[in-house]
Amino acid sequence: LDQITEAMGLPEGHFYDLFIENFIIDHPPNMRRIEPFLHRCVELNKLDTIRKVVGVIMDNPLYSSKLFEIAEDLFAQGQHEAALILYENVAEVEKYQHSERLALCQYRIFTIQVGDDQRQNLRVATVFEVFVERLDEIDQLDALKDLANVYRSLRKWDKVDEMARKMRGKAEIQYSFIHNEKRKEGTKEKKTRGPLFGYIAYADLLCGSVCEAQGDYQQALQYTYAYADLDWVLETDDDTQHWVNLFKSWAEGNTYVYKLLSGDISVLHDYVEYIAETVASNEQISKLLNVIIA
């Protein structure tokens, strides 16, 4: 069809609507024909055509599994607008099912729709939060971390605290699980986006930021000391060491901040030196703001 269109000197995709009417609407859905057609529509950014195709075939819920697979491929390729159309349709068809696939659709929709609009972020976070527990145990950690970050940007400190505590508890269970002697002989486990110990340490960092927002600087310091001391981490690879060093650096800076905000001005010189030596120039203004506030 593309070759015919080109030979006739017409724009790419000129006959796609006719193709849908003649070979998709009037026939039982054939995914071997539809899948490459959808990918071609993505290449041409014909999102309305994708919506039309999906709207036709989603009358039959049997096709939701294949559409979900296509959506996952598109998501991995960074084709988020097209993937969103598929995820939303699959989620609509399966909205009354208590399935992991539905939860994954909602997670992807949340990930794609989070942006600069804070009202939109609050809406999508609220919708997605109820689906977290339906995800795979590993995906739950990334989901809780993403939710915590969104709520943190919204200054919803009660929600940040809730997500962080849930994440810490689940991460501790998983960390203990993978280092169980019996488990070492098992099959390869699904991985989180970052090192598993980092979810425990990051939960403490988040709880520290909650305490800071509430003016409880002494408790914030206790959380900071927790993620500064990572001697319990069993991994020794380079990636682990990289993250351990990052948490120690963040802990050093936050220790200065919380002491300053508590009224301990003896750390002022050390904090200024820390800012000059370790903080990127685009972050220095926010760090110096801590000094002004103190």
Side-chain angles (χ1 to χ4, degrees), residues 43-85:
E43 291 176 13
L44 298 177
N45 197 35
K46 296 179 74 67
L47 300 181
D48 287 339
T49 305
I50 294 172
R51 289 189 185 93
K52 189 178 294 184
V53 174
V54 174
V56 171
I57 65 177
M58 287 310 288
D59 287 339
N60 189 335
L62 294 175
Y63 297 103
S64 63
S65 176
K66 184 60 182 177
L67 278 183
F68 176 76
E69 291 178 13
I70 297 172
E72 288 285 86
D73 287 340
L74 294 175
F75 184 81
Q77 296 167 19
Q79 299 285 356
H80 289 173
E81 284 187 278
L84 180 61
I85 296 170

Side-chain angles (χ1 to χ4, degrees), residues 132-198:
V132 171
E133 294 294 332
R134 303 188 199 178
L135 291 168
D136 172 271
E137 289 88 349
I138 297 301
D139 287 331
Q140 287 182 28
L141 295 177
D142 286 318
L144 288 167
K145 181 181 179 182
D146 293 342
L147 277 169
N149 286 334
V150 169
Y151 284 131
R152 188 183 188 186
S153 71
L154 295 168
R155 304 183 68 80
K156 299 287 186 181
W157 299 114
D158 56 333
K159 300 301 293 184
V160 176
D161 187 69
E162 180 186 347
M163 298 301 111
R165 292 182 185 281
K166 285 183 178 179
M167 180 172 70
R168 193 184 209 289
K170 292 176 183 293
E172 286 176 334
I173 292 171
Q174 290 299 318
Y175 196 78
S176 175
F177 186 61
I178 66 169
H179 288 290
N180 185 295
E181 288 296 327
K182 295 178 182 178
R183 197 63 197 166
K184 290 180 181 179
E185 300 174 3
T187 56
K188 186 177 181 181
E189 293 297 313
K190 184 176 182 178
K191 300 291 186 181
T192 47
R193 286 202 303 259
L196 190 51
F197 81 88

Side-chain angles (χ1 to χ4, degrees), residues 29 49 55 63 66 95 116 153 174 182 204 238 241 271 275 292-293:
T49 305
Y63 297 103
K66 184 60 182 177
K95 62 183 177 181
D116 296 328
S153 71
Q174 290 299 318
K182 295 178 182 178
D204 286 327
D238 291 342
Q241 195 56 51
Y271 184 47
I275 294 173
I292 296 171
I293 292 171

Side-chain angles (χ1 to χ4, degrees), residues 17-31:
D17 286 340
L18 279 175
F19 179 81
I20 295 171
E21 292 175 15
N22 288 276
F23 291 96
I24 296 180
I25 293 177
D26 294 339
H27 292 75
N30 182 339
M31 293 308 298

Side-chain angles (χ1 to χ4, degrees), residues 70-261:
I70 297 172
E72 288 285 86
D73 287 340
L74 294 175
F75 184 81
Q77 296 167 19
Q79 299 285 356
H80 289 173
E81 284 187 278
L84 180 61
I85 296 170
L86 273 61
Y87 285 129
E88 288 178 333
N89 277 271
V90 174
E92 178 62 24
V93 168
E94 301 194 355
K95 62 183 177 181
Y96 297 117
Q97 300 184 32
H98 196 86
S99 67
E100 183 181 338
R101 184 163 63 213
L102 172 59
L104 266 173
C105 281
Q106 294 292 350
Y107 188 14
R108 301 290 189 245
I109 292 169
F110 162 77
T111 301
I112 293 169
Q113 292 187 331
V114 165
D116 296 328
D117 186 333
Q118 296 290 53
R119 286 180 296 181
Q120 162 92 341
N121 291 349
L122 178 59
R123 184 186 66 79
V124 297
T126 303
V127 170
F128 169 57
E129 187 181 330
V130 299
F131 292 94
V132 171
E133 294 294 332
R134 303 188 199 178
L135 291 168
D136 172 271
E137 289 88 349
I138 297 301
D139 287 331
Q140 287 182 28
L141 295 177
D142 286 318
L144 288 167
K145 181 181 179 182
D146 293 342
L147 277 169
N149 286 334
V150 169
Y151 284 131
R152 188 183 188 186
S153 71
L154 295 168
R155 304 183 68 80
K156 299 287 186 181
W157 299 114
D158 56 333
K159 300 301 293 184
V160 176
D161 187 69
E162 180 186 347
M163 298 301 111
R165 292 182 185 281
K166 285 183 178 179
M167 180 172 70
R168 193 184 209 289
K170 292 176 183 293
E172 286 176 334
I173 292 171
Q174 290 299 318
Y175 196 78
S176 175
F177 186 61
I178 66 169
H179 288 290
N180 185 295
E181 288 296 327
K182 295 178 182 178
R183 197 63 197 166
K184 290 180 181 179
E185 300 174 3
T187 56
K188 186 177 181 181
E189 293 297 313
K190 184 176 182 178
K191 300 291 186 181
T192 47
R193 286 202 303 259
L196 190 51
F197 81 88
Y199 294 80
I200 301 172
Y202 191 62
D204 286 327
L205 188 152
L206 288 170
C207 288
S209 67
V210 172
C211 292
E212 176 190 359
Q214 296 171 340
D216 189 350
Y217 304 119
Q218 291 306 313
Q219 186 58 54
L221 275 172
Q222 296 309 308
Y223 283 117
T224 305
Y225 295 149
Y227 65 84
D229 180 11
L230 297 175
D231 291 343
W232 52 269
V233 175
L234 299 175
E235 292 83 2
T236 57
D237 57 275
D238 291 342
D239 187 51
T240 296
Q241 195 56 51
H242 166 75
W243 282 101
V244 167
N245 290 338
L246 270 181
F247 277 110
K248 287 183 177 179
S249 176
W250 293 333
E252 181 185 0
N254 285 334
T255 297
Y256 292 140
V257 171
Y258 299 147
K259 285 186 175 181
L260 267 180
L261 294 174

